[in-house]
Amino acid sequence: MTYVGQRETMRLEVRDEEGLLSDATVTLTLTRPDGTTALPEVSHDDTGKYSAQVTYDQAGGWLRVWQTTGTVVSVDADQLHVAAPELQPVTLAELKKQLNRSDRADDLELQVHLDAAIEVVEDLVGPLTVREFTETHCGPTLALNRRPLVSVMSVTGPGGLVLNDGLYTVDTAAGTLTARWGARQDLTVVYRAGWSTIPAAYRLAVLIIAQHLWQTQHGGGGRVLPGDDTIAMPGMGFAIPSRAVELLTGGMLPGIA
């Protein structure tokens, strides 16, 4: 995983049609997630060998394009996802332990499966770690989208007026905020939501879903447990293992009273 603030030395070897190292004019163009571009300085290290120092300053997808002209004309492009450092509810090391894996050959692909499993669980039970969110709703009573609600940081009314906490009440259990004057106005709320202590059942559900995604893709790479059928969850476009559903719903499967 590459994180915001991380510095990397990118390297390129330029070879002619016979496969021999050859000097050329080389440029490296980076396209950041926000669409802006950068042209890092390219160093000529040896015959046909070039390098550039890159620092990733934004989270998201980066496009990296090497272009050579002169004696060798070529374009080499790849993409990289850069993540913002944050507390992870379940780590790659834990998933590898679940899969009885100790090698690093598939770490990048396993991380993708783990990220997807975390998203699935958070869609059902809310953010697994406490994070900050910003939403705009029409008052006087606002039902915030992410739960469990931990605290409200600020409330801004029409015209950018910041409301003091005496002008609204917060119900953390219900995940709502109510303006005291009762007017129907748009209010922008900055709040923190998520699980301060992640229930063990939710963490295990993440591992089971990630394991299922990995095993169904790789077939012989893993053995799906007998009887581990899948269940289509309401509002979701795919099925997840019944064991994970039971962990996320307190043992109650969808449609069972």
Side-chain angles (χ1 to χ4, degrees):
M1 179 70 70
T2 302
Y3 292 100
V4 173
Q6 189 168 326
R7 188 174 178 84
E8 176 188 3
T9 300
M10 294 187 62
R11 303 185 187 279
L12 177 72
E13 289 190 354
V14 179
R15 297 180 181 274
D16 59 22
E17 294 180 353
E18 297 179 354
L20 301 176
L21 291 168
S22 177
D23 288 340
T25 301
V26 178
T27 59
L28 173 61
T29 303
L30 303 176
T31 302
R32 301 184 180 91
D34 65 1
T36 60
T37 58
L39 295 170
E41 181 179 354
V42 176
S43 299
H44 185 197
D45 302 326
D46 203 343
T47 301
K49 296 184 178 182
Y50 299 84
S51 64
Q53 295 289 322
V54 177
T55 300
Y56 302 103
D57 56 6
Q58 293 181 14
W62 286 66
L63 175 64
R64 310 183 298 184
V65 180
W66 289 102
Q67 187 167 12
T68 65
T69 58
T71 57
V72 177
V73 177
S74 68
V75 175
D76 184 16
D78 72 341
Q79 298 184 49
L80 174 71
H81 182 78
V82 177
E86 61 182 11
L87 183 65
Q88 297 297 312
V90 179
T91 66
L92 177 61
E94 289 172 310
L95 175 57
K96 291 173 70 173
K97 185 175 181 180
Q98 176 84 1
L99 294 171
N100 295 316
R101 294 284 299 271
S102 58
D103 62 281
R104 302 182 61 183
D106 297 310
D107 278 9
L108 291 177
E109 191 174 357
L110 286 170
Q111 184 67 56
V112 171
H113 287 72
L114 178 58
D115 291 343
I118 291 172
E119 289 182 2
V120 170
V121 171
E122 291 192 328
D123 281 345
L124 297 172
V125 301
L128 292 177
T129 56
V130 177
R131 304 197 294 275
E132 188 174 294
F133 302 92
T134 301
E135 295 172 5
T136 299
H137 299 271
C138 184
T141 299
L142 291 64
L144 301 174
N145 293 333
R146 275 87 169 186
R147 302 178 190 181
L149 174 61
V150 176
S151 62
V152 171
M153 313 296 290
S154 67
V155 181
T156 306
L161 176 65
V162 178
L163 309 184
N164 65 56
D165 56 13
L167 295 177
Y168 57 85
T169 58
V170 176
D171 186 337
T172 55
T176 60
L177 178 147
T178 302
R180 291 187 181 277
W181 64 84
R184 290 185 59 82
Q185 295 179 325
D186 284 344
L187 299 176
T188 298
V189 184
V190 179
Y191 67 98
R192 300 172 70 241
W195 293 90
S196 301
T197 301
I198 306 172
Y202 295 173
R203 298 181 72 256
L204 181 56
V206 170
L207 291 171
I208 291 172
I209 295 170
Q211 180 180 22
H212 173 75
L213 292 172
W214 174 260
Q215 291 176 336
T216 53
Q217 175 176 332
H218 289 269
R223 181 172 58 87
V224 178
L225 294 177
D228 192 14
D229 54 340
T230 59
I231 295 177
M233 294 293 291
M236 302 185 69
F238 55 91
I240 62 178
S242 59
R243 290 186 300 147
V245 175
E246 291 174 342
L247 289 167
L248 295 170
T249 60
M252 297 300 295
L253 300 179
I256 299 178

